[in-house]
Short mmCIF file of all heavy atoms in Angstrom, two decimals:
data_model
loop_
_atom_site.label_atom_id
_atom_site.label_comp_id
_atom_site.label_asym_id
_atom_site.label_seq_id
_atom_site.Cartn_x
_atom_site.Cartn_y
_atom_site.Cartn_z
N ALA A 103 3.88 -3.51 -7.57
CA ALA A 103 4.82 -3.78 -6.46
C ALA A 103 5.77 -4.96 -6.85
O ALA A 103 6.89 -4.83 -6.66
CB ALA A 103 4.10 -4.08 -5.13
N LYS A 104 5.17 -6.06 -7.29
CA LYS A 104 6.02 -7.20 -7.63
C LYS A 104 7.02 -6.84 -8.74
O LYS A 104 8.14 -7.37 -8.90
CB LYS A 104 5.11 -8.40 -8.06
CG LYS A 104 4.49 -9.13 -7.04
CD LYS A 104 3.39 -10.07 -7.51
CE LYS A 104 4.01 -11.19 -8.41
NZ LYS A 104 2.97 -12.07 -8.85
N CYS A 105 6.63 -5.99 -9.64
CA CYS A 105 7.51 -5.56 -10.78
C CYS A 105 8.46 -4.43 -10.36
O CYS A 105 9.05 -3.79 -11.23
CB CYS A 105 6.65 -5.17 -11.98
SG CYS A 105 5.79 -6.57 -12.72
N GLY A 106 8.48 -4.06 -9.09
CA GLY A 106 9.48 -3.07 -8.59
C GLY A 106 8.99 -1.69 -8.75
O GLY A 106 9.88 -0.81 -8.56
N ASP A 107 7.73 -1.31 -8.98
CA ASP A 107 7.16 -0.07 -9.15
C ASP A 107 6.22 0.33 -7.94
O ASP A 107 5.01 0.35 -8.08
CB ASP A 107 6.51 0.08 -10.45
CG ASP A 107 6.13 1.54 -10.71
OD1 ASP A 107 6.44 2.44 -9.98
OD2 ASP A 107 5.70 1.83 -11.89
N LEU A 108 6.71 0.41 -6.79
CA LEU A 108 5.96 0.71 -5.62
C LEU A 108 5.32 2.07 -5.75
O LEU A 108 4.25 2.28 -5.14
CB LEU A 108 6.80 0.69 -4.30
CG LEU A 108 6.90 -0.59 -3.62
CD1 LEU A 108 7.83 -0.54 -2.41
CD2 LEU A 108 5.52 -1.12 -3.15
N ASN A 109 5.96 3.00 -6.48
CA ASN A 109 5.35 4.31 -6.55
C ASN A 109 3.96 4.24 -7.30
O ASN A 109 3.03 4.96 -6.88
CB ASN A 109 6.22 5.27 -7.37
CG ASN A 109 7.47 5.74 -6.68
OD1 ASN A 109 7.39 5.75 -5.47
ND2 ASN A 109 8.52 6.05 -7.36
N SER A 110 3.88 3.49 -8.30
CA SER A 110 2.63 3.27 -9.02
C SER A 110 1.59 2.55 -8.12
O SER A 110 0.36 2.94 -8.11
CB SER A 110 2.72 2.45 -10.36
OG SER A 110 3.43 3.19 -11.30
N SER A 111 2.07 1.59 -7.31
CA SER A 111 1.13 0.97 -6.36
C SER A 111 0.54 1.98 -5.37
O SER A 111 -0.64 2.03 -5.11
CB SER A 111 1.96 -0.19 -5.58
OG SER A 111 2.21 -1.18 -6.37
N ASN A 112 1.40 2.77 -4.84
CA ASN A 112 1.05 3.76 -3.92
C ASN A 112 0.04 4.84 -4.53
O ASN A 112 -0.92 5.34 -3.96
CB ASN A 112 2.16 4.49 -3.24
CG ASN A 112 2.87 3.67 -2.20
OD1 ASN A 112 2.25 3.29 -1.18
ND2 ASN A 112 4.14 3.38 -2.39
N TYR A 113 0.41 5.15 -5.84
CA TYR A 113 -0.42 6.14 -6.56
C TYR A 113 -1.87 5.63 -6.76
O TYR A 113 -2.89 6.25 -6.50
CB TYR A 113 0.21 6.48 -7.89
CG TYR A 113 -0.70 7.47 -8.76
CD1 TYR A 113 -0.73 8.74 -8.44
CD2 TYR A 113 -1.44 6.90 -9.70
CE1 TYR A 113 -1.57 9.67 -9.26
CE2 TYR A 113 -2.27 7.72 -10.40
CZ TYR A 113 -2.33 9.08 -10.29
OH TYR A 113 -3.13 9.99 -10.98
N ILE A 114 -1.93 4.29 -7.21
CA ILE A 114 -3.28 3.77 -7.41
C ILE A 114 -4.16 3.69 -6.08
O ILE A 114 -5.20 4.02 -6.07
CB ILE A 114 -3.10 2.22 -7.96
CG1 ILE A 114 -2.55 2.26 -9.35
CG2 ILE A 114 -4.54 1.47 -7.95
CD1 ILE A 114 -2.16 0.92 -9.85
N PHE A 115 -3.35 3.35 -4.96
CA PHE A 115 -4.05 3.27 -3.66
C PHE A 115 -4.56 4.61 -3.25
O PHE A 115 -5.62 4.77 -2.76
CB PHE A 115 -3.16 2.66 -2.66
CG PHE A 115 -3.67 2.56 -1.31
CD1 PHE A 115 -4.57 1.68 -0.96
CD2 PHE A 115 -3.29 3.48 -0.28
CE1 PHE A 115 -5.12 1.55 0.33
CE2 PHE A 115 -3.76 3.41 0.93
CZ PHE A 115 -4.75 2.36 1.25
N SER A 116 -3.65 5.65 -3.32
CA SER A 116 -4.02 7.07 -2.85
C SER A 116 -5.09 7.64 -3.71
O SER A 116 -5.79 8.50 -3.19
CB SER A 116 -2.72 7.91 -2.89
OG SER A 116 -2.26 8.01 -4.27
N SER A 117 -5.30 7.12 -5.02
CA SER A 117 -6.34 7.81 -5.89
C SER A 117 -7.71 7.19 -5.61
O SER A 117 -8.64 7.68 -6.17
CB SER A 117 -5.87 7.61 -7.31
OG SER A 117 -5.90 6.22 -7.71
N LEU A 118 -7.75 6.08 -4.80
CA LEU A 118 -8.97 5.35 -4.58
C LEU A 118 -9.91 6.14 -3.61
O LEU A 118 -9.38 6.60 -2.55
CB LEU A 118 -8.80 3.99 -3.96
CG LEU A 118 -8.05 3.02 -4.90
CD1 LEU A 118 -7.78 1.67 -4.12
CD2 LEU A 118 -8.82 2.76 -6.14
N LEU A 119 -11.04 6.44 -4.00
CA LEU A 119 -11.92 7.25 -3.05
C LEU A 119 -12.53 6.30 -1.98
O LEU A 119 -12.74 6.76 -0.82
CB LEU A 119 -13.10 7.91 -3.86
CG LEU A 119 -12.58 8.97 -4.90
CD1 LEU A 119 -13.81 9.54 -5.74
CD2 LEU A 119 -11.87 10.10 -4.21
N ASP A 120 -12.78 5.11 -2.45
CA ASP A 120 -13.42 4.13 -1.51
C ASP A 120 -12.41 3.07 -1.23
O ASP A 120 -12.36 2.12 -1.94
CB ASP A 120 -14.65 3.53 -2.16
CG ASP A 120 -15.44 2.62 -1.11
OD1 ASP A 120 -15.32 2.77 0.04
OD2 ASP A 120 -16.15 1.77 -1.56
N LYS A 121 -11.70 3.26 -0.14
CA LYS A 121 -10.69 2.14 0.24
C LYS A 121 -11.38 1.22 1.28
O LYS A 121 -11.77 1.50 2.29
CB LYS A 121 -9.42 2.87 0.88
CG LYS A 121 -8.71 3.82 0.06
CD LYS A 121 -7.57 4.43 0.83
CE LYS A 121 -6.74 5.36 -0.07
NZ LYS A 121 -7.34 6.60 -0.37
N ASN A 122 -11.41 -0.10 0.85
CA ASN A 122 -11.88 -1.16 1.61
C ASN A 122 -10.79 -2.04 2.20
O ASN A 122 -9.63 -1.91 1.92
CB ASN A 122 -12.95 -1.85 0.84
CG ASN A 122 -12.36 -2.57 -0.35
OD1 ASN A 122 -11.16 -2.99 -0.31
ND2 ASN A 122 -13.13 -2.86 -1.38
N PRO A 123 -11.18 -3.03 3.09
CA PRO A 123 -10.10 -3.87 3.66
C PRO A 123 -9.26 -4.60 2.59
O PRO A 123 -8.02 -4.74 2.86
CB PRO A 123 -10.93 -4.93 4.48
CG PRO A 123 -12.20 -4.15 4.90
CD PRO A 123 -12.42 -3.33 3.66
N VAL A 124 -9.83 -4.97 1.43
CA VAL A 124 -9.05 -5.68 0.45
C VAL A 124 -7.90 -4.85 -0.05
O VAL A 124 -6.81 -5.14 -0.22
CB VAL A 124 -9.94 -6.22 -0.77
CG1 VAL A 124 -9.18 -6.71 -1.83
CG2 VAL A 124 -10.97 -7.22 -0.20
N THR A 125 -8.27 -3.60 -0.37
CA THR A 125 -7.19 -2.61 -1.00
C THR A 125 -6.29 -2.17 -0.02
O THR A 125 -5.02 -2.03 -0.22
CB THR A 125 -7.89 -1.43 -1.64
OG1 THR A 125 -8.92 -0.81 -0.78
CG2 THR A 125 -8.68 -1.77 -2.97
N TRP A 126 -6.73 -1.99 1.24
CA TRP A 126 -5.76 -1.70 2.37
C TRP A 126 -4.70 -2.82 2.58
O TRP A 126 -3.58 -2.58 2.70
CB TRP A 126 -6.52 -1.43 3.65
CG TRP A 126 -7.00 -0.04 3.90
CD1 TRP A 126 -8.40 0.43 3.72
CD2 TRP A 126 -6.28 1.11 4.22
NE1 TRP A 126 -8.39 1.71 3.93
CE2 TRP A 126 -7.17 2.27 4.37
CE3 TRP A 126 -5.00 1.44 4.56
CZ2 TRP A 126 -6.79 3.47 4.75
CZ3 TRP A 126 -4.53 2.60 5.03
CH2 TRP A 126 -5.44 3.61 5.08
N ASN A 127 -5.31 -4.07 2.57
CA ASN A 127 -4.33 -5.17 2.82
C ASN A 127 -3.37 -5.38 1.67
O ASN A 127 -2.19 -5.66 1.88
CB ASN A 127 -5.14 -6.45 3.01
CG ASN A 127 -5.81 -6.63 4.30
OD1 ASN A 127 -5.42 -5.93 5.29
ND2 ASN A 127 -6.81 -7.43 4.50
N ALA A 128 -3.84 -5.08 0.44
CA ALA A 128 -2.97 -5.14 -0.73
C ALA A 128 -1.96 -4.18 -0.58
O ALA A 128 -0.72 -4.54 -0.90
CB ALA A 128 -3.79 -4.98 -2.04
N MET A 129 -2.17 -3.06 -0.11
CA MET A 129 -1.16 -1.92 -0.07
C MET A 129 -0.10 -2.23 1.05
O MET A 129 1.01 -2.06 0.84
CB MET A 129 -1.85 -0.67 0.08
CG MET A 129 -1.01 0.69 -0.16
SD MET A 129 -0.66 0.61 -1.89
CE MET A 129 1.08 0.41 -1.95
N VAL A 130 -0.67 -2.69 2.13
CA VAL A 130 0.24 -2.94 3.26
C VAL A 130 1.16 -4.13 2.83
O VAL A 130 2.43 -4.09 3.06
CB VAL A 130 -0.53 -3.43 4.57
CG1 VAL A 130 0.50 -3.97 5.65
CG2 VAL A 130 -1.27 -2.28 5.12
N ALA A 131 0.64 -5.18 2.31
CA ALA A 131 1.36 -6.29 1.82
C ALA A 131 2.48 -6.03 0.70
O ALA A 131 3.52 -6.34 0.74
CB ALA A 131 0.49 -7.40 1.33
N ALA A 132 1.97 -5.09 -0.22
CA ALA A 132 2.86 -4.66 -1.29
C ALA A 132 4.09 -3.96 -0.76
O ALA A 132 5.25 -4.31 -1.20
CB ALA A 132 2.12 -3.74 -2.24
N ASN A 133 3.88 -3.15 0.13
CA ASN A 133 5.01 -2.37 0.83
C ASN A 133 5.92 -3.23 1.61
O ASN A 133 7.10 -3.22 1.67
CB ASN A 133 4.60 -1.20 1.61
CG ASN A 133 4.25 0.00 0.74
OD1 ASN A 133 5.08 0.85 0.36
ND2 ASN A 133 3.00 0.09 0.22
N ALA A 134 5.27 -4.15 2.46
CA ALA A 134 5.97 -5.12 3.27
C ALA A 134 6.87 -6.08 2.51
O ALA A 134 7.97 -6.35 2.89
CB ALA A 134 5.00 -5.84 4.14
N ARG A 135 6.32 -6.53 1.36
CA ARG A 135 6.98 -7.68 0.68
C ARG A 135 7.97 -7.07 -0.37
O ARG A 135 8.85 -7.81 -0.80
CB ARG A 135 6.05 -8.60 0.02
CG ARG A 135 5.22 -9.32 0.97
CD ARG A 135 4.09 -10.03 0.36
NE ARG A 135 3.18 -10.75 1.40
CZ ARG A 135 1.99 -11.01 1.19
NH1 ARG A 135 1.42 -10.77 0.01
NH2 ARG A 135 1.22 -11.57 2.11
N HIS A 136 7.85 -5.92 -0.74
CA HIS A 136 8.64 -5.34 -1.92
C HIS A 136 9.44 -4.15 -1.56
O HIS A 136 9.66 -3.24 -2.47
CB HIS A 136 7.74 -5.14 -3.09
CG HIS A 136 7.00 -6.46 -3.55
ND1 HIS A 136 7.63 -7.49 -4.08
CD2 HIS A 136 5.72 -6.81 -3.27
CE1 HIS A 136 6.66 -8.49 -4.19
NE2 HIS A 136 5.56 -8.04 -3.85
N GLY A 137 9.93 -4.00 -0.31
CA GLY A 137 10.89 -3.00 -0.06
C GLY A 137 10.73 -1.95 1.00
O GLY A 137 11.57 -1.52 1.68
N ASP A 138 9.44 -1.31 1.01
CA ASP A 138 9.26 -0.15 1.90
C ASP A 138 8.48 -0.67 3.16
O ASP A 138 7.31 -0.37 3.35
CB ASP A 138 8.50 0.99 1.29
CG ASP A 138 8.51 2.26 1.95
OD1 ASP A 138 9.06 2.38 3.09
OD2 ASP A 138 8.23 3.26 1.32
N ARG A 139 9.28 -1.28 4.07
CA ARG A 139 8.64 -1.88 5.22
C ARG A 139 8.15 -0.86 6.17
O ARG A 139 7.13 -0.99 6.80
CB ARG A 139 9.62 -2.79 5.95
CG ARG A 139 9.79 -4.15 5.22
CD ARG A 139 10.82 -4.36 4.26
NE ARG A 139 10.73 -5.41 3.49
CZ ARG A 139 11.93 -6.01 2.92
NH1 ARG A 139 13.07 -5.34 3.07
NH2 ARG A 139 11.90 -7.06 2.24
N GLU A 140 8.86 0.30 6.34
CA GLU A 140 8.38 1.29 7.21
C GLU A 140 7.03 1.92 6.80
O GLU A 140 6.14 2.16 7.60
CB GLU A 140 9.48 2.45 7.34
CG GLU A 140 10.72 1.96 7.93
CD GLU A 140 11.73 3.15 8.08
OE1 GLU A 140 11.49 4.17 7.66
OE2 GLU A 140 12.85 2.91 8.73
N ASN A 141 6.93 2.15 5.53
CA ASN A 141 5.57 2.63 5.00
C ASN A 141 4.54 1.53 5.12
O ASN A 141 3.43 1.97 5.45
CB ASN A 141 5.72 2.90 3.49
CG ASN A 141 4.54 3.76 2.95
OD1 ASN A 141 4.19 4.67 3.65
ND2 ASN A 141 4.05 3.36 1.77
N ALA A 142 4.78 0.28 5.13
CA ALA A 142 3.83 -0.76 5.48
C ALA A 142 3.29 -0.55 6.84
O ALA A 142 2.11 -0.67 7.04
CB ALA A 142 4.49 -2.13 5.29
N LEU A 143 4.17 -0.31 7.82
CA LEU A 143 3.78 -0.20 9.21
C LEU A 143 2.89 1.15 9.39
O LEU A 143 1.98 1.09 10.08
CB LEU A 143 4.93 -0.25 10.17
CG LEU A 143 5.71 -1.57 10.25
CD1 LEU A 143 7.00 -1.30 11.04
CD2 LEU A 143 4.81 -2.61 10.80
N LYS A 144 3.39 2.20 8.60
CA LYS A 144 2.55 3.36 8.70
C LYS A 144 1.15 3.24 8.04
O LYS A 144 0.12 3.71 8.70
CB LYS A 144 3.36 4.45 7.89
CG LYS A 144 4.57 5.01 8.56
CD LYS A 144 5.20 6.01 7.69
CE LYS A 144 6.53 6.49 8.27
NZ LYS A 144 7.28 7.48 7.29
N LEU A 145 1.09 2.53 7.01
CA LEU A 145 -0.22 2.10 6.45
C LEU A 145 -1.08 1.30 7.39
O LEU A 145 -2.27 1.54 7.37
CB LEU A 145 0.02 1.39 5.08
CG LEU A 145 0.46 2.30 3.96
CD1 LEU A 145 1.04 1.44 2.72
CD2 LEU A 145 -0.74 3.16 3.45
N PHE A 146 -0.48 0.39 8.06
CA PHE A 146 -1.21 -0.36 8.95
C PHE A 146 -1.88 0.50 10.11
O PHE A 146 -3.05 0.29 10.47
CB PHE A 146 -0.33 -1.47 9.64
CG PHE A 146 -1.02 -2.38 10.57
CD1 PHE A 146 -1.77 -3.56 10.13
CD2 PHE A 146 -0.97 -2.08 11.99
CE1 PHE A 146 -2.35 -4.31 11.07
CE2 PHE A 146 -1.72 -2.92 12.87
CZ PHE A 146 -2.32 -4.02 12.49
N ILE A 147 -1.04 1.47 10.58
CA ILE A 147 -1.46 2.39 11.64
C ILE A 147 -2.65 3.22 11.01
O ILE A 147 -3.74 3.43 11.71
CB ILE A 147 -0.40 3.20 12.15
CG1 ILE A 147 0.60 2.34 12.95
CG2 ILE A 147 -0.90 4.34 13.00
CD1 ILE A 147 1.89 3.06 13.24
N GLU A 148 -2.48 3.73 9.89
CA GLU A 148 -3.56 4.54 9.09
C GLU A 148 -4.88 3.64 8.99
O GLU A 148 -5.94 4.19 9.14
CB GLU A 148 -3.06 4.99 7.80
CG GLU A 148 -1.93 6.10 7.82
CD GLU A 148 -1.53 6.49 6.40
OE1 GLU A 148 -2.32 6.29 5.46
OE2 GLU A 148 -0.39 6.96 6.30
#
């Protein structure tokens, strides 16, 4: 995400079978801080 590749961030997250609070928070923060704020809010709701 910091390097401008949110697609890869989202891909890594979506491929995880066991998503825990650490990875959820990382994904919400990555989208919130690096461009896709609407997706960050969607992820928070999910």
Side-chain angles (χ1 to χ4, degrees):
K104 282 169 63 179
C105 293
D107 189 356
L108 269 176
N109 287 335
S110 291
S111 290
N112 283 302
Y113 176 78
I114 293 169
F115 179 75
S116 64
S117 67
L118 298 176
L119 297 177
D120 183 24
K121 298 179 177 71
N122 61 28
V124 173
T125 49
W126 275 103
N127 283 341
M129 199 65 248
V130 174
N133 281 271
R135 292 170 187 159
H136 302 289
D138 197 346
R139 280 94 188 204
E140 290 182 358
N141 195 43
L143 294 175
K144 288 177 184 176
L145 284 164
F146 181 85
I147 293 168
E148 286 179 26

